[in-house]
Every structure is written in structure tokens, then in C-alpha cells.
Amino acid sequence: MFHAPRTVVTCSNVLIFNDGSKVTLVIKPLRKAVLPVAGLGTRFLPATKAMPKEMLTVVDKPLIQYAIDEARAAGIEEFCLITGRGKDSLIDYFDVAFELETTLRERNKQDALDALAPSTIEAGALIAVRQQEPLGLGHAIWCARSFIGDDPFAILLPDDLVKSDVACLKQLVETYNQTGGNVVAVTEVPREHTSRYGILKTGKDDGRVVEVTGLVEKPKPEEAPSNLSIIGRYVLTADVMPHLSKLERGAGGEVQLTDAMAKTIGHVPFHGLRYEGQRFDCGNKLGYLEAQIAMSIDRPDLGDSVRAFLKN
Ligand code: G1P
């Protein structure tokens, strides 16, 4: 769905619209993240029959832990998991494992305790909301409305694993702190893949940060306004929530986040960031295997052996 761009120029935190009106931009610090984890993971059956797909490990860390680590690196302090039935082990995972930790302490297993530490989220900093029906990503985010309130928030889709020197979400936050408004992580995809992603219609582009003038969810290659696709990292202001509340169905009969975001264009600054890093789509088998290799090659304890194995 396209929306007529109402040009927004940012100048020393003052937004100047093309009708001449001005608004002072308030950039609230980003502290909240929503992680949709209600998906059934059918592409990984039977592995995901009795285990959430977000608990699949890349080397020795579950996908959900990568997402939480990245969020923390970006300054996030409060987390909201959008879960579903059969996903309670994700909540257990972030709890204190009292017996395990006591045993490890008694046995002086400091390395194991250190490995465990990031998997505990401070009491009160994690909440879970159930998405009762699989009505799409937009519906999942709408389920977090009480958590979000009027605050800006990040969304991390744990299927997308990004390997980078600076955490991908941190890169988005740095851009958000300059531009305010909505910032999404984007990457170029082959034209024949546009029907898998949210695709940008682009305005001003400095090669890194690109103005978003329209958005369309999963367009056919011949209808795609560009080949710049959104990956699973977003920084959004609460302005998107009233649009989500309408629960309008879009592509695939689902409530699409992309459609609700498109309606904020012209009302809040909206940018795409070509992040630095490599993205792995761990929602499909090949992407997941590639992530295993890429992440293990970099590990001091495994890298040489993995490289030798691949060479043979
Ligand atoms: C979702 C979004 C899509 C985005 C993608 C990134 O699609 O709807 O706009 O490009 O995530 O991974 P899904 O992968 O849930 O089909």
C-alpha cells in the first residue's frame, strides 16, 4: 500500500513539513523491545514439535538469546515476548535456574556460570503476552500495546540473526537518535525475492540512510517499488499503534505491520538503514545452516577446526 509522501525535513530537531508547518521533534530514549515468538516453526518439524523454534541453537546459544543480547547491546532494558501456546519454555529459559546455579557454584564451575549469566533477565524486566490467534505480525505487535504505551520501541524477529561488529539494533538506535521517528533495517535483495519481504519505496538516499516514502508487503517482483527489503529489526514510535488497532487484513489475509507503518509516513520521520553486518534467515534451513558455519568460524574455541573440516 502506498501513501502520498508528505516530505519531512529534519533540521536541528525541528521537523519542517512541505506545507511549511513545523514541529519540534522529541526523541525519547529507546528502552523497550518486543520480540514476537508465537510462530509454529513448521519449517523445522519435527525439531519444533515440542520445542519453540526460537530455542534452536546456533552453536551453543538459542536464537532468542542472540536477540536479547543484541537488544541489550542497544540499551534495551524492558522486554516483551509475544508468545503462544506451547512456548512457555521461553519464559523458563530467562528465569533464575536456582538448583543448577547452586550446583555449579558448589562445584566451582565458573565458566559454566558465566555462560549461563546472560540467560537470566532481571525480575520485572520481562513480560510475556499471548497472541491467541495467528493473525500476523501486526497483530502480534498490537498484543504488546499495554507494554508499549506512548514509548518508542524496538522489534526484533529472532529468526533473523545478524552477525556484525556493532549490534544491528544499536546501529538503528544511533540513527534513530539523529532522525527520530521510525527506523527499519534494510538490505538489497534479488528482485525475484521481493515477495518474501516488506519492500521500501525510497526517497532521499545517502547510500546508508534512506528516506522511506512508501512501503508494500511482499510485492510481486514486477510490482515492487525497489529491491530494498526490511529485515527483522525495527525502531518504531507509538504512532503505529492506532493503525494496528484497526486490525485490517493485508497480504496473506494477515494483519500486516508493514501496512500500519506505511500509514505513519508523512506524519513521523521514516528511514531505512543499510546496516553493516551479515543477516541469516534462520527461519529457513539453508539460512540456519549458514549461520551455524559463520558463527562457529569466528569462535576462538572452534574456528580452526571448523575451517579445517570445511576445507576437507
Ligand atoms: C516479516 C515482515 C516483512 C519483513 C520480514 C523480515 O515477514 O512482515 O515485512 O520483511 O518479516 O524478516 P515474515 O518473515 O514474518 O513473513
Side-chain angles (χ1 to χ4, degrees), residues 137 157 160 197-198 217-218 230-232 234 256 258 279:
L137 180 59
L157 307 185
D160 278 335
Y197 302 103
E217 179 68 8
K218 302 195 170 81
I230 302 176
I231 71 149
Y234 308 71
Q256 294 293 351
T258 302
R279 173 242 191 187

Side-chain angles (χ1 to χ4, degrees), residues 102-231:
T102 306
T103 308
L104 292 174
R105 227 168 273 125
E106 280 167 7
R107 293 181 187 170
N108 277 326
K109 299 266 187 200
Q110 194 52 47
D111 286 357
L113 281 164
D114 291 346
L116 205 56
S119 68
T120 304
I121 293 186
E122 187 199 357
L126 172 78
I127 67 156
V129 178
R130 280 203 178 181
Q131 184 185 19
Q132 293 159 330
E133 292 172 90
L135 299 180
L137 180 59
H139 178 256
I141 302 306
W142 176 76
C143 292
R145 62 197 179 281
S146 302
F147 170 78
I148 292 164
D150 287 331
D151 293 324
F153 62 102
I155 303 171
L156 298 101
L157 307 185
D159 275 2
D160 278 335
L161 179 60
V162 187
K163 182 170 178 281
S164 56
D165 293 337
V166 178
C168 180
L169 187 63
K170 187 164 192 243
Q171 298 176 40
L172 255 61
V173 172
E174 282 163 1
T175 303
Y176 163 79
N177 287 338
Q178 304 287 318
T179 61
N182 298 333
V183 186
V184 293
V186 299
T187 190
E188 255 104 22
V189 293
R191 212 155 240 280
E192 60 271 26
H193 291 176
T194 56
S195 59
R196 300 181 190 175
Y197 302 103
I199 299 291
L200 268 57
K201 184 173 183 227
T202 61
K204 263 200 299 186
D205 188 349
D206 70 6
R208 190 166 165 272
V209 179
V210 54
E211 188 193 1
V212 179
T213 58
L215 284 170
V216 55
E217 179 68 8
K218 302 195 170 81
K220 292 184 192 141
E222 61 276 18
E223 287 164 11
S226 77
N227 66 339
L228 259 190
S229 83
I230 302 176
I231 71 149

